[in-house]
Amino acid sequence: MIYLKLFLAFLQIGAFSFGGGYAAMPLIQAQTVELYHWLTLSDFTDLVTIAEMTPGPIAINAATFVGNQVAGIPGAVIATLGVVLPSCLFVTILAILYTRYRKLSLMQGVLKSLRPAVVAMILAAGLSILLPAVFPLGTLRSVDWLALLLFLGAFLLLRWKKWNPILIMVGCGVVELIVELIH
């Protein structure tokens, strides 16, 4: 019975967490802490930390973590399948529809009109991360000059020099470490 509960709980999370991992966190908390009491609030905080620091999507990492906590490795597999299944079905249906109707002018028009919206969403997400990093107190007087310089340097290296993003992230981390050690 626990396996069915795990599967259905994470199936709901996978089906209704539009907007990515951060949007899924309230749903995960509602299912795991409030509804089923599989985790305490303290455990949930640890879950968020672990899901953030491990590679992969947050919701999948959370499902694997909770499933393992509740029912061991089989629970981890079942919870992970539950959270992934809705996306897999949705993307498969979209791929079939796209393959079948991609040459229709209506489909091309819809896709063409969606591109600016997708770019706007990516830009909005980027700004919501950039602004607090560069202006930690939310005012123009509170500029974190190192963060601004690292952002500009990373942007230039990514855009015009086509450097490897991983090298740039490591480099920024090293620069921050050196600055902290000097101060």
Side-chain angles (χ1 to χ4, degrees):
M1 190 64 170
I2 191 66
Y3 298 125
L4 182 61
K5 286 181 181 179
L6 275 168
F7 181 78
L8 292 176
F10 281 96
L11 184 74
Q12 289 177 38
I13 292 165
F16 298 110
S17 58
F18 297 101
Y22 295 112
M25 282 300 150
L27 294 171
I28 295 169
Q29 181 179 357
Q31 292 286 338
T32 62
V33 176
E34 297 160 17
L35 181 62
Y36 290 110
H37 307 289
W38 290 327
L39 301 176
T40 65
L41 197 52
S42 175
D43 292 335
F44 181 76
T45 304
D46 293 341
L47 161 75
V48 173
T49 303
I50 291 168
E52 275 293 318
M53 63 186 250
T54 53
I58 295 169
I60 294 173
N61 292 345
T64 305
F65 179 85
V66 171
N68 188 62
Q69 290 290 101
V70 172
I73 291 176
V77 170
I78 288 172
T80 303
L81 286 174
V83 82
V84 170
L85 184 62
S87 296
C88 290
L89 292 174
F90 185 66
V91 168
T92 301
I93 291 167
L94 281 177
I96 291 168
L97 291 173
Y98 176 75
T99 303
R100 183 172 292 160
Y101 300 111
R102 70 176 166 221
K103 297 201 190 292
L104 288 178
S105 62
L106 176 65
M107 177 68 82
Q108 291 303 313
V110 168
L111 291 174
K112 184 178 178 183
S113 66
L114 288 175
R115 286 183 193 117
V118 170
V119 172
M121 289 171 26
I122 293 169
L123 179 62
L127 287 174
S128 71
I129 296 168
L130 174 67
L131 293 176
V134 174
F135 304 104
L137 300 178
T139 66
L140 292 176
R141 293 185 194 147
S142 66
V143 177
D144 181 339
W145 292 104
L146 179 60
L148 181 60
L149 289 172
L150 288 173
F151 165 74
L152 291 172
F155 181 80
L156 293 173
L157 291 172
L158 284 166
R159 183 75 179 119
W160 284 287
K161 297 293 184 179
K162 308 291 187 215
W163 278 26
N164 183 321
I166 295 171
L167 291 176
I168 293 172
M169 288 191 307
V170 169
C172 287
V174 168
V175 169
E176 179 71 35
L177 181 64
I178 290 169
V179 169
E180 288 298 318
L181 289 174
I182 292 171
H183 282 100

